[in-house]
Amino acid sequence: EINEQIAARWHHCLLNDAAAEPARAYLAERQVSPDAIKLFRLGFAPDSWDDTVNWAKSKSFDPAQVETAGLLLRKEETGHFYNRFRARLMFPICDEQGRVIGFSGRVLPGSTDERKYVNSPETPLFIKSRVMFGLDKSKRAILDKQFAIVCEGQLDLIACFMAGVQNIVAPQGTAFTGEHARIIKRYASDVVLCFDSDEAGQKATVRVLDDLLGTGLSIRVATIPAPHDPDSYIKNFGGPAFEDLVKKAEGFF
């Protein structure tokens, strides 16, 4: 309930607060549509140390419980709480039923914070090795097509999904694991890995092999021409062109 309500608050902030203008400008530059912002419930966490603390008080939520949800941190010396997420574009992460269980916060251009993403910690609800971003929305398409595309980032997934390529998931804040692979196996027997064309993306592709082989999934790899990632490829060439790349995906070996 805490996660659902803070997601609604941050979504309202993104749409309406003057302070969220850098987040709206960033999304416009990345060509993320208003429909996508609404569907994925994107949000903005205000640039304040105590915004979530005060919000929790106003809702009569126990601060310790909000800390357990991964939204607050506690200063050891004083015991005072402060916000985990500040001045970030917020991506709610949902379980397979579509309930918000965690968040990923992306830094915005101009920030001095060197961490590109801040993710929810492991909580009783949010276990990274078992959570995939977008699965609540894509499971129907995965069942229909009988294969899942695995990409790296939230914006990649959103771009694909909005372009009509909806049988797609992204591991959340961790490498693709055997646990992820077993979840996909419930919906499909075939996986197409679609990581970035840079060296890190190639290494990520190789790293997931052992976990995938153990599940008996059929594995193919879609190669995106450098310097593109799925998001930029779709922006330049369109959803059908990306689908063609996926169709041409070759067996892992």
Side-chain angles (χ1 to χ4, degrees):
E1 185 62 24
I2 290 168
N3 282 324
E4 285 287 345
Q5 289 202 28
I6 196 73
R9 169 171 170 67
W10 285 337
H11 184 61
H12 184 270
C13 285
L14 176 66
L15 297 181
N16 301 292
D17 283 16
E21 184 51 42
R24 291 192 290 270
Y26 175 75
L27 289 168
E29 185 200 328
R30 295 295 298 260
Q31 298 174 40
V32 179
S33 70
D35 285 347
I37 291 168
K38 195 178 279 186
L39 179 64
F40 287 91
R41 292 193 276 174
L42 304 189
F44 174 72
D47 188 8
S48 146
W49 291 95
D50 60 0
D51 184 78
T52 305
V53 177
N54 294 333
W55 168 84
K57 275 184 196 157
S58 76
K59 296 281 186 183
S60 302
F61 289 133
D62 173 8
Q65 200 167 22
V66 185
E67 180 189 23
T68 302
L71 299 169
L72 297 180
L73 296 157
R74 194 191 305 231
K75 276 192 178 153
E76 278 186 29
E77 319 82 74
T78 61
H80 288 323
F81 292 101
Y82 61 99
N83 303 345
R84 179 182 296 275
F85 299 104
R86 301 180 299 279
R88 285 177 176 268
L89 174 64
M90 300 304 296
F91 296 86
I93 302 153
C94 299
D95 65 11
E96 286 172 62
Q97 283 72 49
R99 298 171 298 200
V100 180
I101 55 171
F103 294 90
S104 184
R106 192 195 193 285
V107 75
L108 290 163
S111 169
T112 54
D113 193 334
E114 291 177 359
R115 299 167 301 167
K116 189 174 179 185
Y117 283 93
V118 169
N119 295 315
S120 291
E122 299 257 320
T123 73
L125 295 178
F126 181 58
I127 299 159
K128 290 178 189 175
S129 63
R130 296 184 194 161
V131 175
M132 277 178 292
F133 182 73
L135 183 58
D136 58 306
K137 296 175 181 62
S138 62
K139 59 188 181 184
R140 169 52 50 199
I142 293 171
L143 274 169
D144 288 347
K145 299 216 166 179
Q146 270 304 294
F147 77 94
I149 303 163
V150 178
C151 68
E152 277 186 281
Q154 291 113 339
L155 287 167
D156 285 337
L157 182 140
I158 290 170
C160 292
F161 196 91
M162 300 310 286
V165 184
Q166 299 191 340
N167 54 325
I168 186 159
V169 291
Q172 184 47 58
T174 178
F176 191 76
T177 66
E179 197 76 49
H180 291 136
R182 280 186 283 281
I183 292 166
I184 287 180
K185 190 84 162 83
R186 298 208 297 262
Y187 297 97
S189 52
D190 194 6
V191 163
V192 176
L193 303 176
C194 188
F195 295 152
D196 293 355
S197 55
D198 60 17
E199 193 178 345
Q202 299 296 314
K203 284 181 176 166
T205 304
V206 174
R207 271 201 307 274
V208 303
L209 178 64
D210 287 350
D211 282 332
L212 282 173
L213 284 178
T215 62
L217 282 164
S218 159
I219 314 158
R220 295 183 291 141
V221 179
T223 307
I224 299 177
H228 291 293
D229 56 25
D231 178 34
S232 65
Y233 192 85
I234 283 172
K235 300 284 192 297
N236 280 273
F237 306 108
F242 179 75
E243 279 199 283
D244 277 349
L245 272 188
V246 170
K247 277 183 194 142
K248 290 176 187 154
E250 297 186 333
F252 186 95
F253 290 101

